[in-house]
Amino acid sequence: QPQLQESGPGLVKPSETLSLTCTVSGGSISGSSYYWGWIRQPPGKGLEWIGTVFHGGSTYYNPSLKSRVSISVDTSKNQFSLKLTSLTAADTSIYYCARGQIIVGPSAMNYWGQGTLVIVSS
Amino acid sequence: SYVLTQAPSVSVAPGQTARITCGGDNIGSKSVHWYQQKPGQAPVLVVYDDSDRPSGIPERFSGSNSANTATLSISRVEAGDEADYYCQVWAGSSDHLCVFGTGTKVTVL
Protein backbone atom coordinates (compact mmCIF):
# COMPACT_ATOMS: atom_id res chain seq x y z
CA GLN A 1 0.00 0.00 0.00
CA PRO A 2 1.62 3.26 -1.04
CA GLN A 3 1.65 6.17 1.36
CA LEU A 4 1.80 9.81 0.33
CA GLN A 5 2.92 12.65 2.56
CA GLU A 6 2.79 16.36 1.71
CA SER A 7 5.39 18.75 3.10
CA GLY A 8 6.02 22.45 2.80
CA PRO A 9 5.42 25.79 4.50
CA GLY A 10 2.17 26.36 6.31
CA LEU A 11 2.31 30.13 5.88
CA VAL A 12 3.30 32.03 2.76
CA LYS A 13 3.18 35.75 1.99
CA PRO A 14 1.10 37.22 -0.82
CA SER A 15 2.88 37.48 -4.18
CA GLU A 16 5.35 34.75 -3.15
CA THR A 17 5.72 31.25 -4.58
CA LEU A 18 4.43 28.13 -2.85
CA SER A 19 6.54 24.99 -3.07
CA LEU A 20 5.12 21.71 -1.85
CA THR A 21 6.55 18.21 -2.03
CA CYS A 22 4.79 14.86 -1.93
CA THR A 23 6.94 11.97 -0.74
CA VAL A 24 5.81 8.53 -1.85
CA SER A 25 6.65 5.43 0.18
CA GLY A 26 5.66 1.81 -0.33
CA GLY A 27 5.95 1.98 -4.10
CA SER A 28 7.94 3.48 -6.92
CA ILE A 29 6.94 6.78 -8.45
CA SER A 30 8.33 5.61 -11.77
CA GLY A 31 5.64 3.10 -12.68
CA SER A 32 3.82 3.64 -15.95
CA SER A 33 0.53 2.42 -14.47
CA TYR A 34 0.07 5.46 -12.29
CA TYR A 35 -0.26 9.21 -12.40
CA TRP A 36 0.40 11.75 -9.65
CA GLY A 37 -1.69 14.78 -8.90
CA TRP A 38 -2.32 17.80 -6.71
CA ILE A 39 -5.76 18.82 -5.50
CA ARG A 40 -6.69 21.64 -3.15
CA GLN A 41 -9.65 22.52 -0.98
CA PRO A 42 -10.30 26.02 0.39
CA PRO A 43 -11.62 25.91 3.96
CA GLY A 44 -15.27 24.88 3.93
CA LYS A 45 -15.38 24.49 0.15
CA GLY A 46 -15.12 21.77 -2.47
CA LEU A 47 -12.25 19.99 -4.17
CA GLU A 48 -10.33 21.76 -6.93
CA TRP A 49 -7.95 19.91 -9.22
CA ILE A 50 -4.63 21.68 -9.67
CA GLY A 51 -2.74 19.41 -12.04
CA THR A 52 -1.37 15.98 -12.87
CA VAL A 53 1.92 14.50 -14.02
CA PHE A 54 2.03 11.29 -16.01
CA HIS A 55 4.74 8.74 -16.66
CA GLY A 56 7.34 10.30 -18.86
CA GLY A 57 6.78 13.72 -17.36
CA SER A 58 3.82 15.00 -19.34
CA THR A 59 1.76 17.44 -17.30
CA TYR A 60 -1.78 18.77 -17.43
CA TYR A 61 -3.04 21.72 -15.42
CA ASN A 62 -6.32 23.28 -14.43
CA PRO A 63 -6.85 26.00 -17.06
CA SER A 64 -7.72 28.50 -14.33
CA LEU A 65 -4.31 27.99 -12.69
CA LYS A 66 -2.18 27.04 -15.67
CA SER A 67 -0.23 30.29 -15.88
CA ARG A 68 0.93 29.94 -12.26
CA VAL A 69 1.45 26.20 -11.78
CA SER A 70 4.16 23.67 -12.44
CA ILE A 71 4.44 20.05 -11.32
CA SER A 72 7.60 18.00 -11.53
CA VAL A 73 8.86 14.56 -10.51
CA ASP A 74 12.12 13.60 -8.81
CA THR A 75 12.45 9.85 -9.29
CA SER A 76 15.71 9.71 -7.32
CA LYS A 77 13.85 10.85 -4.21
CA ASN A 78 10.52 9.20 -5.04
CA GLN A 79 8.86 12.61 -4.80
CA PHE A 80 6.81 14.95 -6.90
CA SER A 81 6.43 18.66 -6.35
CA LEU A 82 4.09 21.57 -6.87
CA LYS A 83 5.01 25.18 -7.48
CA LEU A 84 2.35 27.87 -7.45
CA THR A 85 3.40 31.45 -8.10
CA SER A 86 1.94 34.89 -7.40
CA LEU A 87 -0.03 33.77 -4.38
CA THR A 88 -3.08 35.61 -3.09
CA ALA A 89 -5.39 34.98 -0.16
CA ALA A 90 -7.61 32.99 -2.54
CA ASP A 91 -4.91 30.31 -2.65
CA THR A 92 -5.38 29.55 1.04
CA SER A 93 -6.36 25.89 1.05
CA ILE A 94 -5.63 22.40 2.18
CA TYR A 95 -3.37 20.93 -0.49
CA TYR A 96 -3.55 17.20 -1.19
CA CYS A 97 -1.32 14.99 -3.27
CA ALA A 98 -2.76 11.81 -4.75
CA ARG A 99 -1.95 8.78 -6.88
CA GLY A 100 -4.25 7.51 -9.54
CA GLN A 101 -4.37 4.50 -11.78
CA ILE A 102 -3.98 4.45 -15.52
CA ILE A 103 -6.07 1.82 -17.25
CA VAL A 104 -6.91 2.78 -20.82
CA GLY A 105 -6.54 6.40 -19.72
CA PRO A 106 -6.44 8.07 -16.31
CA SER A 107 -8.84 6.50 -13.85
CA ALA A 108 -9.64 7.28 -10.22
CA MET A 109 -7.33 8.59 -7.51
CA ASN A 110 -7.15 5.75 -5.04
CA TYR A 111 -4.43 6.96 -2.71
CA TRP A 112 -4.29 10.39 -1.10
CA GLY A 113 -2.00 12.18 1.30
CA GLN A 114 -3.44 13.54 4.53
CA GLY A 115 -3.29 17.09 3.21
CA THR A 116 -1.40 20.17 4.33
CA LEU A 117 -2.95 23.54 5.17
CA VAL A 118 -1.36 26.51 3.44
CA ILE A 119 -2.33 30.00 4.54
CA VAL A 120 -1.48 32.98 2.39
CA SER A 121 -1.14 36.02 4.60
CA SER A 122 1.27 38.83 5.31
CA SER B 1 -15.11 23.70 -19.73
CA TYR B 2 -16.89 20.63 -18.45
CA VAL B 3 -19.11 21.14 -15.41
CA LEU B 4 -20.41 18.56 -12.93
CA THR B 5 -23.42 19.59 -10.85
CA GLN B 6 -24.43 18.02 -7.55
CA ALA B 7 -27.19 18.88 -5.12
CA PRO B 8 -25.68 20.65 -2.07
CA SER B 9 -27.29 18.34 0.45
CA VAL B 10 -29.21 15.11 0.89
CA SER B 11 -30.85 13.93 4.11
CA VAL B 12 -31.67 10.30 4.79
CA ALA B 13 -32.92 8.26 7.71
CA PRO B 14 -30.81 5.37 9.02
CA GLY B 15 -31.53 2.16 7.16
CA GLN B 16 -32.85 3.94 4.08
CA THR B 17 -31.15 4.50 0.73
CA ALA B 18 -29.34 7.72 -0.12
CA ARG B 19 -29.04 8.65 -3.77
CA ILE B 20 -26.52 11.30 -4.78
CA THR B 21 -26.64 12.54 -8.34
CA CYS B 22 -23.97 14.09 -10.53
CA GLY B 23 -25.12 15.89 -13.64
CA GLY B 24 -22.97 16.58 -16.69
CA ASP B 25 -23.32 16.87 -20.43
CA ASN B 26 -23.41 13.31 -21.81
CA ILE B 27 -21.74 12.08 -18.63
CA GLY B 28 -22.88 8.59 -19.57
CA SER B 29 -20.03 8.50 -22.09
CA LYS B 30 -17.45 9.05 -19.36
CA SER B 31 -16.18 7.01 -16.42
CA VAL B 32 -17.33 8.51 -13.14
CA HIS B 33 -15.52 8.16 -9.85
CA TRP B 34 -16.93 8.93 -6.41
CA TYR B 35 -15.12 10.08 -3.26
CA GLN B 36 -16.27 10.26 0.35
CA GLN B 37 -14.79 12.94 2.59
CA LYS B 38 -15.42 13.11 6.31
CA PRO B 39 -14.60 16.26 8.32
CA GLY B 40 -10.90 16.80 8.76
CA GLN B 41 -9.96 13.84 6.57
CA ALA B 42 -8.68 13.32 3.05
CA PRO B 43 -11.10 12.05 0.40
CA VAL B 44 -11.53 8.29 0.06
CA LEU B 45 -12.44 6.58 -3.20
CA VAL B 46 -15.71 4.64 -2.80
CA VAL B 47 -16.71 3.91 -6.41
CA TYR B 48 -14.65 4.03 -9.61
CA ASP B 49 -15.42 3.53 -13.26
CA ASP B 50 -19.14 4.18 -12.69
CA SER B 51 -19.89 1.14 -10.55
CA ASP B 52 -16.78 -0.68 -9.29
CA ARG B 53 -15.83 -0.68 -5.63
CA PRO B 54 -12.26 -0.61 -4.29
CA SER B 55 -11.40 -3.36 -1.86
CA GLY B 56 -12.66 -2.59 1.62
CA ILE B 57 -15.65 -0.51 0.49
CA PRO B 58 -18.95 -2.05 1.60
CA GLU B 59 -21.35 -3.43 -1.00
CA ARG B 60 -23.85 -0.87 0.28
CA PHE B 61 -22.09 1.62 -1.99
CA SER B 62 -23.06 1.31 -5.65
CA GLY B 63 -22.97 3.50 -8.72
CA SER B 64 -24.67 3.90 -12.06
CA ASN B 65 -24.23 6.23 -15.02
CA SER B 66 -26.42 6.97 -18.00
CA ALA B 67 -27.21 9.85 -20.32
CA ASN B 68 -26.64 13.09 -18.39
CA THR B 69 -26.67 11.76 -14.81
CA ALA B 70 -24.46 9.55 -12.69
CA THR B 71 -25.74 8.30 -9.36
CA LEU B 72 -24.06 7.05 -6.19
CA SER B 73 -26.42 5.00 -4.04
CA ILE B 74 -25.81 4.13 -0.41
CA SER B 75 -28.17 1.46 0.82
CA ARG B 76 -28.93 0.71 4.48
CA VAL B 77 -27.44 4.05 5.45
CA GLU B 78 -25.52 4.22 8.72
CA ALA B 79 -24.49 7.17 10.86
CA GLY B 80 -20.91 6.64 9.71
CA ASP B 81 -21.90 7.40 6.11
CA GLU B 82 -22.48 11.05 6.98
CA ALA B 83 -19.93 12.90 4.86
CA ASP B 84 -19.39 14.99 1.76
CA TYR B 85 -19.44 13.08 -1.53
CA TYR B 86 -17.78 14.24 -4.75
CA CYS B 87 -18.05 12.89 -8.26
CA GLN B 88 -15.12 13.19 -10.65
CA VAL B 89 -14.44 12.63 -14.34
CA TRP B 90 -11.67 13.19 -16.84
CA ALA B 91 -12.62 15.64 -19.56
CA GLY B 92 -11.10 17.90 -22.19
CA SER B 93 -10.05 17.16 -25.76
CA SER B 94 -7.66 14.44 -24.62
CA ASP B 95 -9.54 13.42 -21.46
CA HIS B 96 -6.62 14.56 -19.32
CA LEU B 97 -8.34 17.40 -17.48
CA CYS B 98 -9.76 16.38 -14.11
CA VAL B 99 -13.12 17.78 -13.05
CA PHE B 100 -14.73 17.43 -9.62
CA GLY B 101 -18.38 17.86 -8.89
CA THR B 102 -19.55 20.55 -6.50
CA GLY B 103 -20.06 18.06 -3.70
CA THR B 104 -23.08 16.77 -1.76
CA LYS B 105 -23.35 16.76 2.01
CA VAL B 106 -25.14 13.62 3.18
CA THR B 107 -26.83 14.02 6.55
CA VAL B 108 -28.10 10.99 8.43
CA LEU B 109 -31.18 12.01 10.36
Side-chain angles (χ1 to χ4, degrees), chain A residues 50-66:
Chain A
I50 299 172
T52 298
V53 59
F54 292 88
H55 179 70
S58 58
T59 52
Y60 293 82
Y61 302 125
N62 188 322
S64 69
L65 299 170
K66 188 175 183 178

Side-chain angles (χ1 to χ4, degrees), chain B residues 28-86:
Chain B
S29 67
K30 300 182 180 299
S31 291
V32 180
H33 318 298
W34 291 92
Y35 303 87
Q36 176 195 68
Q37 186 181 33
K38 296 181 179 179
Q41 298 184 19
V44 172
L45 180 67
V46 293
V47 166
Y48 68 97
D49 291 350
D50 296 341
S51 59
D52 291 332
R53 279 186 313 277
S55 60
I57 300 301
E59 291 183 6
R60 300 185 298 104
F61 289 82
S62 62
S64 63
N65 185 18
S66 179
N68 294 313
T69 304
T71 303
L72 173 69
S73 299
I74 312 171
S75 61
R76 303 183 299 282
V77 164
E78 304 171 356
D81 298 329
E82 188 163 287
D84 294 324
Y85 291 83
Y86 296 91

